[in-house]
Amino acid sequence: MRPPERDAVRWGLASTHDAERVVGWSRWRAWVARSSDARRRLDAILADPGARELVPTIPEQEFYYLVKDIGLADAGPLLELASPEQVQACLDLEIWDRDHVDAERVQPWLEALSAFPPARLARILAGLDFELVSLLFARCARVHDRSAGEEPAPESRCPIYETPDTFFFVEFLTQRAELAAALERVLDALYRGDPGFAQRLLLDAKWALPSELEEASYRWRSGRMADLGFCDYFDALEVYAYLDPRQAMERLRKPSISRRGVSSESIALPVPFAESMRGDTFLERVLAALDREEELGAVVGALVALFNRVLAADR
């Protein structure tokens, strides 16, 4: 149903208040559209002559939602321009299930990264948590040191990669053939891009305990997630806890920290929620009534914080 003020403006019958509401509605609609029209944003970014300098400046969470909305299979040109910090943020948001790395979620990202030129792949991996990269190999492979006379058992049916430096045999133990193939492609490209880093990675994967690597990686990840506005999974569950209406009213009466001075232009709504907020809904009408930029910026910031909490709680 079309809001009545739209017809009023169309026929020149709108009051000043009506016009202000239309301005607010337009601003809100523009924000939702900017948050959800990923394909158009991608085309605009890649068409920019300064795309190589532009892409690393995209906020990390916004970059992740852009990649997800486009689809990882089609996001290769964007990922190749990303900074290691942006790729790390994508992995932080994507591959963890509570406090464990989910191998099934890792595989598509490994396949995407393995398509990078070797030097580019080496730079990206060197910019990630070393513990995380080492964990992927420690959990899915057994590293045999050839200088110590180690080699896979003759009866082994697992895929085996002989490193170009002839220092190691890497026996991929995972039963997921696609994951083993992706890890092998990454390792092969890494040896071509930075052999020294590849050697350090395999030595760490050989001797470190996977549980310790995962624990250390999770600590680093938790800190970064907090910086992005995501709280710990168990803390995030409080978003679904019962809230006494009287306590809620007391909170509303007290001064709170707001995002004054933050423009809604600088914040993107998480893509999983953007599409659901399109249309003529009661919530949209309320938000469209915010005709001051700083008010909309404060509410937008609060909504992003709330949605981040819900996303963390829903894993």
Side-chain angles (χ1 to χ4, degrees), residues 6 17 23 27 29 38 41 48 57-58 60 71 92 102 127 153-154 161 165-166 205 214 220 242 248 263 274 305 308:
R6 294 187 187 176
H17 178 67
V23 170
R27 184 181 291 122
R29 279 292 177 82
R41 292 180 63 206
D48 193 300
T57 67
I58 300 174
E60 293 161 3
D92 286 343
D102 187 329
Y161 175 77
D165 55 15
T166 70
E214 189 167 53
W220 289 115
Y242 172 76
S263 169
N308 283 350

Short mmCIF file of all heavy atoms in Angstrom, two decimals, residues 6 17 23 27 29 38 41 48 57-58 60 71 92 102 127 153-154 161 165-166 205 214 220 242 248 263 274 305 308:
data_model
loop_
_atom_site.label_atom_id
_atom_site.label_comp_id
_atom_site.label_asym_id
_atom_site.label_seq_id
_atom_site.Cartn_x
_atom_site.Cartn_y
_atom_site.Cartn_z
N ARG A 6 3.00 10.21 -0.13
CA ARG A 6 3.59 10.18 -1.47
C ARG A 6 2.63 10.82 -2.48
O ARG A 6 3.03 11.59 -3.34
CB ARG A 6 3.89 8.74 -1.88
CG ARG A 6 4.97 8.10 -1.05
CD ARG A 6 5.33 6.75 -1.60
NE ARG A 6 6.25 6.04 -0.72
CZ ARG A 6 6.66 4.81 -0.94
NH1 ARG A 6 6.25 4.15 -1.99
NH2 ARG A 6 7.50 4.23 -0.10
N HIS A 17 5.64 19.43 7.00
CA HIS A 17 5.89 18.21 7.77
C HIS A 17 5.86 16.98 6.87
O HIS A 17 6.70 16.08 6.99
CB HIS A 17 4.85 18.08 8.88
CG HIS A 17 5.01 16.82 9.68
ND1 HIS A 17 6.09 16.59 10.50
CD2 HIS A 17 4.22 15.71 9.76
CE1 HIS A 17 5.96 15.40 11.07
NE2 HIS A 17 4.83 14.86 10.63
N VAL A 23 11.43 13.22 2.84
CA VAL A 23 12.90 13.28 2.85
C VAL A 23 13.46 12.15 3.70
O VAL A 23 14.38 11.44 3.31
CB VAL A 23 13.39 14.64 3.36
CG1 VAL A 23 14.90 14.60 3.60
CG2 VAL A 23 13.06 15.73 2.36
N ARG A 27 15.71 8.99 2.49
CA ARG A 27 17.02 8.71 3.06
C ARG A 27 17.09 7.27 3.56
O ARG A 27 18.08 6.56 3.36
CB ARG A 27 17.31 9.70 4.19
CG ARG A 27 18.70 9.55 4.79
CD ARG A 27 18.92 10.54 5.92
NE ARG A 27 18.99 11.90 5.41
CZ ARG A 27 18.19 12.89 5.79
NH1 ARG A 27 17.25 12.68 6.68
NH2 ARG A 27 18.33 14.10 5.30
N ARG A 29 15.19 4.70 2.57
CA ARG A 29 15.15 3.80 1.42
C ARG A 29 16.52 3.73 0.74
O ARG A 29 16.97 2.67 0.31
CB ARG A 29 14.09 4.28 0.43
CG ARG A 29 12.67 3.86 0.79
CD ARG A 29 12.52 2.34 0.66
NE ARG A 29 11.22 1.88 1.06
CZ ARG A 29 10.13 1.90 0.28
NH1 ARG A 29 10.20 2.40 -0.93
NH2 ARG A 29 8.99 1.43 0.73
N ALA A 38 24.19 -5.42 -3.94
CA ALA A 38 25.61 -5.74 -3.98
C ALA A 38 26.16 -5.79 -5.39
O ALA A 38 27.29 -5.35 -5.64
CB ALA A 38 25.85 -7.08 -3.28
N ARG A 41 26.94 -2.38 -6.67
CA ARG A 41 28.09 -1.83 -5.96
C ARG A 41 29.39 -2.47 -6.47
O ARG A 41 30.40 -1.79 -6.64
CB ARG A 41 27.95 -2.07 -4.45
CG ARG A 41 26.83 -1.28 -3.81
CD ARG A 41 26.75 -1.58 -2.33
NE ARG A 41 27.97 -1.15 -1.66
CZ ARG A 41 28.41 -1.69 -0.53
NH1 ARG A 41 27.75 -2.71 0.01
NH2 ARG A 41 29.50 -1.24 0.03
N ASP A 48 35.90 1.45 -11.24
CA ASP A 48 36.65 2.62 -10.78
C ASP A 48 38.12 2.47 -11.17
O ASP A 48 38.73 1.43 -10.91
CB ASP A 48 36.52 2.75 -9.26
CG ASP A 48 37.01 4.10 -8.76
OD1 ASP A 48 38.20 4.41 -8.98
OD2 ASP A 48 36.22 4.84 -8.16
N THR A 57 39.99 -0.10 1.35
CA THR A 57 39.43 0.88 2.28
C THR A 57 38.00 0.54 2.70
O THR A 57 37.45 1.21 3.58
CB THR A 57 39.44 2.29 1.66
OG1 THR A 57 38.52 2.34 0.56
CG2 THR A 57 40.83 2.66 1.18
N ILE A 58 37.39 -0.47 2.07
CA ILE A 58 36.03 -0.86 2.44
C ILE A 58 36.06 -1.45 3.85
O ILE A 58 36.88 -2.34 4.13
CB ILE A 58 35.46 -1.89 1.45
CG1 ILE A 58 35.42 -1.31 0.04
CG2 ILE A 58 34.06 -2.34 1.88
CD1 ILE A 58 35.01 -2.33 -1.03
N GLU A 60 35.72 -3.79 6.98
CA GLU A 60 35.85 -5.24 6.88
C GLU A 60 34.52 -5.97 6.92
O GLU A 60 34.28 -6.89 6.13
CB GLU A 60 36.76 -5.73 8.01
CG GLU A 60 38.19 -5.26 7.84
CD GLU A 60 38.99 -5.31 9.12
OE1 GLU A 60 38.44 -5.77 10.15
OE2 GLU A 60 40.17 -4.91 9.10
N GLY A 71 28.31 -13.75 -3.83
CA GLY A 71 28.58 -15.18 -3.94
C GLY A 71 30.07 -15.38 -4.09
O GLY A 71 30.72 -14.72 -4.91
N ASP A 92 37.00 -14.91 9.86
CA ASP A 92 36.50 -14.78 11.23
C ASP A 92 34.98 -14.93 11.26
O ASP A 92 34.41 -15.56 12.17
CB ASP A 92 36.87 -13.41 11.81
CG ASP A 92 38.34 -13.31 12.18
OD1 ASP A 92 39.01 -14.36 12.29
OD2 ASP A 92 38.83 -12.17 12.35
N ASP A 102 35.19 -24.89 11.38
CA ASP A 102 34.37 -25.85 10.65
C ASP A 102 35.02 -26.10 9.29
O ASP A 102 35.05 -25.22 8.43
CB ASP A 102 32.96 -25.29 10.48
CG ASP A 102 31.99 -26.29 9.87
OD1 ASP A 102 32.44 -27.13 9.07
OD2 ASP A 102 30.79 -26.22 10.17
N GLY A 127 49.57 -12.61 5.97
CA GLY A 127 48.88 -11.58 6.74
C GLY A 127 47.78 -12.11 7.63
O GLY A 127 47.19 -11.36 8.41
N ALA A 153 53.27 -44.46 5.30
CA ALA A 153 53.25 -45.92 5.27
C ALA A 153 52.94 -46.39 3.85
O ALA A 153 52.13 -45.77 3.14
CB ALA A 153 52.19 -46.44 6.24
N PRO A 154 53.59 -47.45 3.40
CA PRO A 154 53.38 -47.95 2.02
C PRO A 154 51.92 -48.25 1.71
O PRO A 154 51.48 -48.11 0.57
CB PRO A 154 54.24 -49.21 1.97
CG PRO A 154 55.27 -49.03 3.04
CD PRO A 154 54.59 -48.25 4.12
N TYR A 161 51.54 -35.28 -1.01
CA TYR A 161 52.19 -34.19 -1.75
C TYR A 161 53.66 -34.15 -1.35
O TYR A 161 54.00 -34.05 -0.17
CB TYR A 161 51.52 -32.87 -1.42
CG TYR A 161 52.18 -31.66 -2.05
CD1 TYR A 161 52.00 -31.37 -3.40
CD2 TYR A 161 52.98 -30.81 -1.29
CE1 TYR A 161 52.60 -30.26 -3.98
CE2 TYR A 161 53.58 -29.70 -1.85
CZ TYR A 161 53.39 -29.43 -3.20
OH TYR A 161 53.99 -28.33 -3.78
N ASP A 165 60.93 -28.59 -2.37
CA ASP A 165 62.25 -28.53 -1.76
C ASP A 165 62.75 -29.90 -1.31
O ASP A 165 63.86 -30.01 -0.79
CB ASP A 165 62.25 -27.56 -0.59
CG ASP A 165 61.19 -27.90 0.45
OD1 ASP A 165 60.65 -29.02 0.42
OD2 ASP A 165 60.89 -27.04 1.29
N THR A 166 61.92 -30.93 -1.50
CA THR A 166 62.21 -32.33 -1.12
C THR A 166 62.39 -32.50 0.38
O THR A 166 62.92 -33.51 0.84
CB THR A 166 63.46 -32.89 -1.85
OG1 THR A 166 64.64 -32.25 -1.34
CG2 THR A 166 63.35 -32.69 -3.36
N ALA A 205 52.84 -27.02 11.64
CA ALA A 205 51.75 -27.99 11.55
C ALA A 205 52.19 -29.37 12.02
O ALA A 205 51.39 -30.14 12.56
CB ALA A 205 51.23 -28.06 10.11
N GLU A 214 44.15 -24.03 17.71
CA GLU A 214 42.77 -23.56 17.62
C GLU A 214 42.43 -22.61 18.76
O GLU A 214 41.76 -21.60 18.56
CB GLU A 214 41.81 -24.75 17.63
CG GLU A 214 40.38 -24.37 17.32
CD GLU A 214 39.52 -25.59 17.02
OE1 GLU A 214 39.50 -26.52 17.86
OE2 GLU A 214 38.88 -25.62 15.96
N TRP A 220 42.59 -14.73 19.19
CA TRP A 220 42.80 -13.62 18.28
C TRP A 220 41.50 -13.24 17.58
O TRP A 220 41.17 -12.06 17.43
CB TRP A 220 43.85 -14.00 17.23
CG TRP A 220 45.25 -14.11 17.74
CD1 TRP A 220 46.01 -15.24 17.79
CD2 TRP A 220 46.07 -13.05 18.26
NE1 TRP A 220 47.25 -14.95 18.31
CE2 TRP A 220 47.31 -13.62 18.59
CE3 TRP A 220 45.87 -11.69 18.45
CZ2 TRP A 220 48.35 -12.86 19.13
CZ3 TRP A 220 46.90 -10.93 18.98
CH2 TRP A 220 48.12 -11.52 19.31
N TYR A 242 14.52 -13.09 28.35
CA TYR A 242 13.34 -12.29 28.70
C TYR A 242 13.78 -10.96 29.29
O TYR A 242 14.69 -10.89 30.13
CB TYR A 242 12.48 -13.05 29.70
CG TYR A 242 11.35 -12.21 30.26
CD1 TYR A 242 10.22 -11.93 29.50
CD2 TYR A 242 11.43 -11.67 31.55
CE1 TYR A 242 9.18 -11.16 30.00
CE2 TYR A 242 10.40 -10.89 32.07
CZ TYR A 242 9.27 -10.64 31.28
OH TYR A 242 8.26 -9.86 31.78
N ALA A 248 13.02 -2.29 30.88
CA ALA A 248 13.29 -1.70 29.58
C ALA A 248 12.94 -0.21 29.58
O ALA A 248 13.68 0.62 29.03
CB ALA A 248 12.48 -2.43 28.50
N SER A 263 27.46 9.38 10.57
CA SER A 263 26.51 9.49 9.46
C SER A 263 26.04 8.12 9.03
O SER A 263 26.82 7.17 8.99
CB SER A 263 27.18 10.20 8.28
OG SER A 263 26.39 10.09 7.13
N ALA A 274 18.92 -6.74 5.16
CA ALA A 274 18.54 -5.60 4.32
C ALA A 274 17.28 -5.89 3.51
O ALA A 274 16.36 -5.08 3.46
CB ALA A 274 19.70 -5.22 3.40
N ALA A 305 24.49 -2.86 15.64
CA ALA A 305 24.97 -3.53 16.85
C ALA A 305 24.01 -4.65 17.27
O ALA A 305 24.43 -5.74 17.65
CB ALA A 305 25.14 -2.53 17.98
N ASN A 308 24.26 -7.54 14.76
CA ASN A 308 25.49 -8.28 14.99
C ASN A 308 25.32 -9.24 16.16
O ASN A 308 25.82 -10.37 16.13
CB ASN A 308 26.64 -7.32 15.29
CG ASN A 308 27.17 -6.63 14.05
OD1 ASN A 308 26.81 -7.00 12.94
ND2 ASN A 308 28.02 -5.64 14.24
#
